[in-house]
Protein backbone atom coordinates (compact mmCIF):
# COMPACT_ATOMS: atom_id res chain seq x y z
CA UNK A 1 0.00 0.00 0.00
CA UNK A 2 2.97 2.28 -0.60
CA UNK A 3 1.21 4.81 -2.79
CA UNK A 4 -1.98 5.01 -0.79
CA UNK A 5 -2.54 8.24 1.12
CA UNK A 6 -2.75 7.73 4.86
CA UNK A 7 -5.95 9.40 6.00
CA UNK A 8 -7.07 9.93 9.59
CA UNK A 9 -10.54 10.98 10.67
CA UNK A 10 -10.96 13.15 13.77
CA UNK A 11 -14.65 12.91 14.67
CA UNK A 12 -16.56 14.96 17.20
CA UNK A 13 -19.39 17.36 17.88
CA UNK A 14 -17.16 20.47 17.73
CA UNK A 15 -19.91 22.52 19.37
CA UNK A 16 -17.92 24.77 19.01
CA UNK A 17 -14.29 24.02 18.13
CA UNK A 18 -11.93 24.98 20.98
CA UNK A 19 -8.19 25.43 21.49
CA UNK A 20 -8.27 21.89 22.95
CA UNK A 21 -9.48 20.46 19.63
CA UNK A 22 -7.01 22.63 17.71
CA UNK A 23 -4.11 21.40 19.81
CA UNK A 24 -4.96 17.79 18.89
CA UNK A 25 -5.52 18.73 15.23
CA UNK A 26 -2.16 20.51 14.90
CA UNK A 27 -0.19 17.67 16.45
CA UNK A 28 -2.08 14.78 14.84
CA UNK A 29 -2.36 16.19 11.29
CA UNK A 30 1.43 16.11 10.91
CA UNK A 31 1.41 12.31 11.18
CA UNK A 32 -0.88 11.71 8.19
CA UNK A 33 -1.17 12.64 4.51
CA UNK A 34 -4.79 13.70 4.92
CA UNK A 35 -6.50 14.68 8.14
CA UNK A 36 -10.29 15.06 8.14
CA UNK A 37 -12.03 16.90 10.97
CA UNK A 38 -15.39 15.10 10.86
CA UNK A 39 -18.26 17.05 12.37
CA UNK A 40 -21.06 14.74 13.52
CA UNK A 41 -24.63 15.47 12.51
CA UNK A 42 -25.88 12.82 14.89
CA UNK A 43 -24.63 13.35 18.39
CA UNK A 44 -26.06 12.23 21.70
CA UNK A 45 -25.63 15.79 22.92
CA UNK A 46 -28.04 18.61 22.21
CA UNK A 47 -25.91 21.04 20.27
CA UNK A 48 -25.91 24.81 20.57
CA UNK A 49 -24.79 25.30 16.98
CA UNK A 50 -26.44 23.77 13.91
CA UNK A 51 -24.29 21.32 11.93
CA UNK A 52 -23.63 23.93 9.19
CA UNK A 53 -22.40 26.41 11.80
CA UNK A 54 -20.21 23.84 13.53
CA UNK A 55 -18.60 23.03 10.17
CA UNK A 56 -18.21 26.72 9.25
CA UNK A 57 -16.59 27.57 12.61
CA UNK A 58 -14.21 24.61 12.37
CA UNK A 59 -13.28 25.68 8.82
CA UNK A 60 -12.68 29.22 10.03
CA UNK A 61 -10.18 27.97 12.61
CA UNK A 62 -8.46 25.52 10.25
CA UNK A 63 -7.95 28.26 7.65
CA UNK A 64 -5.75 30.06 10.18
CA UNK A 65 -3.28 27.15 10.25
CA UNK A 66 -1.30 28.47 7.29
CA UNK A 67 1.59 26.04 7.63
CA UNK A 68 -0.62 22.90 7.68
CA UNK A 69 -2.21 22.15 4.32
CA UNK A 70 -3.57 18.63 4.70
CA UNK A 71 -6.63 19.30 6.88
CA UNK A 72 -10.21 19.17 5.64
CA UNK A 73 -13.45 19.74 7.54
CA UNK A 74 -16.46 17.62 6.59
CA UNK A 75 -19.84 16.89 8.13
CA UNK A 76 -20.90 13.27 8.46
CA UNK A 77 -24.13 11.49 9.23
CA UNK A 78 -24.74 8.01 10.58
CA UNK A 79 -22.17 5.48 11.69
CA UNK A 80 -18.64 6.81 12.01
CA UNK A 81 -17.08 3.65 10.56
CA UNK A 82 -19.10 4.08 7.36
CA UNK A 83 -17.75 7.61 6.98
CA UNK A 84 -14.23 6.38 7.73
CA UNK A 85 -14.55 3.78 4.96
CA UNK A 86 -16.07 6.26 2.50
CA UNK A 87 -13.05 8.52 3.01
CA UNK A 88 -10.63 5.65 2.40
CA UNK A 89 -9.29 6.09 5.93
CA UNK A 90 -8.10 3.51 8.41
CA UNK A 91 -7.35 5.66 11.43
CA UNK A 92 -9.74 7.34 13.86
CA UNK A 93 -8.03 10.05 15.93
CA UNK A 94 -9.46 11.07 19.30
CA UNK A 95 -8.23 13.23 22.15
CA UNK A 96 -7.84 12.22 25.78
CA UNK A 97 -8.26 14.94 28.36
CA UNK A 98 -7.80 12.67 31.33
CA UNK A 99 -8.94 9.44 32.94
CA UNK A 100 -12.56 10.53 32.70
CA UNK A 101 -12.36 10.37 28.88
CA UNK A 102 -10.44 7.11 28.91
CA UNK A 103 -13.15 4.56 29.58
CA UNK A 104 -15.50 5.97 26.95
CA UNK A 105 -12.77 6.31 24.32
CA UNK A 106 -11.45 2.82 25.05
CA UNK A 107 -14.91 1.30 24.68
CA UNK A 108 -15.61 3.23 21.46
CA UNK A 109 -12.31 2.08 20.00
CA UNK A 110 -13.32 -1.57 20.63
CA UNK A 111 -16.76 -1.02 19.12
CA UNK A 112 -15.39 0.70 16.02
CA UNK A 113 -12.80 -2.02 15.60
CA UNK A 114 -15.51 -4.66 15.90
CA UNK A 115 -17.64 -2.87 13.29
CA UNK A 116 -14.68 -2.21 10.99
CA UNK A 117 -11.69 -4.45 11.77
CA UNK A 118 -9.44 -2.51 9.40
CA UNK A 119 -9.75 0.67 11.42
CA UNK A 120 -7.53 1.62 14.33
CA UNK A 121 -8.18 4.32 16.89
CA UNK A 122 -5.26 6.46 17.97
CA UNK A 123 -5.71 8.43 21.19
CA UNK A 124 -3.80 11.66 21.58
CA UNK A 125 -3.23 12.88 25.13
CA UNK A 126 -4.08 16.52 25.68
CA UNK A 127 -1.31 18.92 26.62
CA UNK A 128 -1.03 20.57 30.02
CA UNK A 129 -2.16 23.91 28.55
CA UNK A 130 -5.41 22.67 27.03
CA UNK A 131 -6.53 19.50 28.84
CA UNK A 132 -9.17 21.33 30.91
CA UNK A 133 -10.94 22.86 27.91
CA UNK A 134 -14.25 21.39 26.79
CA UNK A 135 -16.94 22.73 24.48
CA UNK A 136 -19.48 22.34 27.27
CA UNK A 137 -17.51 24.43 29.78
CA UNK A 138 -16.88 27.05 27.10
CA UNK A 139 -20.63 27.26 26.42
CA UNK A 140 -21.39 27.53 30.13
CA UNK A 141 -18.85 30.35 30.58
CA UNK A 142 -20.29 32.16 27.53
CA UNK A 143 -23.83 31.73 28.83
CA UNK A 144 -22.79 33.36 32.10
CA UNK A 145 -20.96 36.14 30.27
CA UNK A 146 -17.46 35.09 31.36
CA UNK A 147 -14.15 35.61 29.57
CA UNK A 148 -13.19 33.03 26.98
CA UNK A 149 -9.55 34.08 26.47
CA UNK A 150 -7.26 31.11 26.05
CA UNK A 151 -10.17 28.72 25.53
CA UNK A 152 -11.44 29.61 22.05
CA UNK A 153 -10.48 32.16 19.38
CA UNK A 154 -12.00 35.65 19.43
CA UNK A 155 -14.17 34.76 16.42
CA UNK A 156 -15.63 31.73 18.22
CA UNK A 157 -16.05 33.77 21.41
CA UNK A 158 -17.96 36.41 19.41
CA UNK A 159 -20.23 33.73 17.89
CA UNK A 160 -20.94 32.37 21.36
CA UNK A 161 -21.71 35.83 22.73
CA UNK A 162 -24.02 36.52 19.79
CA UNK A 163 -25.77 33.19 20.27
CA UNK A 164 -26.39 33.75 23.97
CA UNK A 165 -27.57 37.33 23.45
CA UNK A 166 -30.24 35.93 21.07
CA UNK A 167 -31.77 33.56 23.62
P1 LIG B 1 -17.67 14.21 21.15
O1 LIG B 1 -19.07 14.70 21.34
O2 LIG B 1 -17.51 13.19 20.08
O3 LIG B 1 -16.93 13.85 22.42
P2 LIG B 1 -16.13 16.66 21.15
O4 LIG B 1 -16.21 17.75 20.13
O5 LIG B 1 -16.54 16.99 22.54
O6 LIG B 1 -16.95 15.48 20.52
O7 LIG B 1 -14.66 16.07 21.18
C1 LIG B 1 -14.06 15.51 20.05
C2 LIG B 1 -12.76 14.87 20.47
O8 LIG B 1 -11.87 15.87 20.92
C3 LIG B 1 -12.87 13.87 21.62
O9 LIG B 1 -11.97 12.82 21.40
C4 LIG B 1 -12.47 14.68 22.83
O10 LIG B 1 -11.94 13.86 23.85
C5 LIG B 1 -11.41 15.55 22.21
N1 LIG B 1 -11.19 16.78 22.97
C6 LIG B 1 -12.10 17.72 23.28
N2 LIG B 1 -11.53 18.71 24.02
C7 LIG B 1 -10.23 18.37 24.16
C8 LIG B 1 -9.11 18.95 24.84
N3 LIG B 1 -9.23 20.06 25.55
N4 LIG B 1 -7.93 18.31 24.78
C9 LIG B 1 -7.83 17.14 24.09
N5 LIG B 1 -8.82 16.54 23.45
C10 LIG B 1 -10.02 17.14 23.49
Amino acid sequence: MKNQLKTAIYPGSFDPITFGHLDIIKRAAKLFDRFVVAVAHDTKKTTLFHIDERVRLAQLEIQKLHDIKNIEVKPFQGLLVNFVKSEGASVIARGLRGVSDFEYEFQMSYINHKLAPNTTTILFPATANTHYISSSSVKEIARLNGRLDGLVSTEIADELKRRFSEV
Side-chain angles (χ1 to χ4, degrees):
M1 297 248 183
K2 248 187 183 165
N3 296 322
Q4 201 168 321
L5 288 181
K6 263 271 172 236
T7 301
I9 307 294
Y10 178 42
S13 313
F14 303 102
D15 184 44
I17 190 164
T18 68
F19 285 156
H21 294 127
L22 286 163
D23 174 69
I24 300 286
I25 292 168
K26 283 187 264 186
R27 286 187 292 134
K30 291 187 185 135
L31 306 176
F32 302 94
D33 300 306
R34 266 179 85 223
F35 193 81
V36 181
V37 177
V39 185
H41 255 274
D42 305 308
T43 153
K44 281 182 270 179
K45 305 169 186 170
T46 307
T47 59
L48 177 68
F49 293 103
H50 184 265
I51 179 73
D52 298 340
E53 292 173 297
R54 289 184 277 130
V55 168
R56 180 179 66 79
L57 295 176
Q59 270 162 349
L60 188 82
E61 295 302 289
I62 299 304
Q63 275 163 18
K64 295 178 194 166
L65 308 176
H66 299 296
D67 53 337
I68 316 177
K69 302 279 180 223
N70 63 337
I71 308 173
E72 294 163 38
V73 180
K74 290 188 172 185
F76 77 99
Q77 214 156 3
L79 266 186
L80 171 63
V81 288
N82 291 344
F83 180 72
V84 171
K85 279 187 215 160
S86 72
E87 288 294 311
S90 54
V91 171
I92 298 169
R94 293 280 290 177
L96 266 190
R97 281 163 288 198
V99 279
S100 56
D101 278 344
F102 188 78
E103 196 150 351
Y104 175 74
E105 296 296 346
F106 208 56
Q107 194 198 0
M108 284 311 298
S109 76
Y110 275 120
I111 289 174
N112 286 325
H113 186 70
K114 182 88 185 151
L115 293 172
N118 291 332
T119 62
T120 303
T121 298
I122 301 184
L123 301 177
F124 290 85
T127 50
N129 292 338
T130 52
H131 74 96
Y132 57 89
I133 306 172
S134 67
S135 297
S136 47
S137 60
V138 160
K139 284 180 280 192
E140 190 60 4
I141 295 166
R143 189 176 73 80
L144 300 171
N145 223 358
R147 286 165 57 102
L148 292 167
D149 312 27
L151 306 177
V152 293
S153 71
T154 49
E155 289 84 356
I156 304 285
D158 289 345
E159 288 285 346
L160 282 159
K161 275 183 220 150
R162 199 168 310 137
R163 179 52 55 98
F164 282 109
S165 66
E166 284 167 6
V167 290

